[in-house]
Amino acid sequence: MSGRSSFGTKLYRGDGLSPQTFQEVKHCGDIDVPAGKRNFETSTTHTSADNGGFEEYEPTTLDAEPLKCPINLDTSDPVHLAILSDEASGTKRDWKVKLNFPTPYWIKFSGYVTGVPVKAPVKGLYSADIEIKVTGAVTKTVTELP
């Protein structure tokens, strides 16, 4: 079985300016990359009995699951402070994830920071679990998108 290490994957936050600049979110742990999840509506009718009575469905919209990522929180890092500010203000941002393949693979999306709960363990580092609710399309490409 072959595989590729994901070590070196990077998350970037857009600054919202024009032209937009993306800054790396440093000190990320495991990144749960967003992907579309197809929604379905039931299309079951009385004639479904002809199919053995099984439920029938039709695909509708795609809903991207949120990006989730723990970070080692550093309040001297301007990007970490900006993420905390995004959570407080409800500001939509553009985000990118760069997957660590021989030819980089990019995932771009817009989203809102829905939570950044901070953890302060007695023995350990300050950390926070970033969660970003994706809104709109998730674009995947080998070419970096603006």
Side-chain angles (χ1 to χ4, degrees), residues 1-144:
M1 174 183 220
S2 66
R4 175 131 187 103
S5 173
S6 59
F7 189 64
T9 297
K10 296 183 185 285
L11 173 64
Y12 297 89
R13 176 189 172 273
D15 63 9
L17 302 175
S18 183
Q20 184 156 222
T21 301
F22 284 82
Q23 295 176 302
E24 182 182 348
V25 178
K26 301 276 187 174
H27 313 297
C28 289
D30 296 343
I31 301 171
D32 293 341
V33 179
K37 181 178 178 183
R38 178 65 65 189
N39 290 310
F40 290 84
E41 290 294 324
T42 183
S43 60
T44 307
T45 64
H46 290 293
T47 54
S48 298
D50 297 341
N51 296 323
F54 284 92
E55 295 278 338
E56 296 176 320
Y57 296 92
E58 290 295 324
T60 60
T61 59
L62 282 169
D63 186 17
E65 297 186 354
L67 178 137
K68 294 180 181 179
C69 174
I71 60 171
N72 292 334
L73 184 62
D74 179 358
T75 57
S76 68
D77 184 314
V79 177
H80 288 196
L81 289 175
I83 290 169
L84 292 168
S85 177
D86 289 344
E87 175 196 25
S89 66
T91 302
K92 181 171 79 171
R93 297 281 177 200
D94 289 333
W95 301 84
K96 292 182 187 181
V97 177
K98 180 183 176 187
L99 302 182
N100 186 31
F101 289 110
T103 299
Y105 191 79
W106 293 88
I107 299 169
K108 184 178 179 190
F109 58 95
S110 295
Y112 297 93
V113 178
T114 59
V116 189
V118 176
K119 296 178 184 175
V122 170
K123 187 176 182 179
L125 304 173
Y126 280 108
S127 64
D129 291 324
I130 300 171
E131 182 172 305
I132 301 167
K133 175 62 179 163
V134 177
T135 180
V138 176
T139 306
K140 302 172 184 178
T141 180
V142 294
T143 306
E144 183 177 0

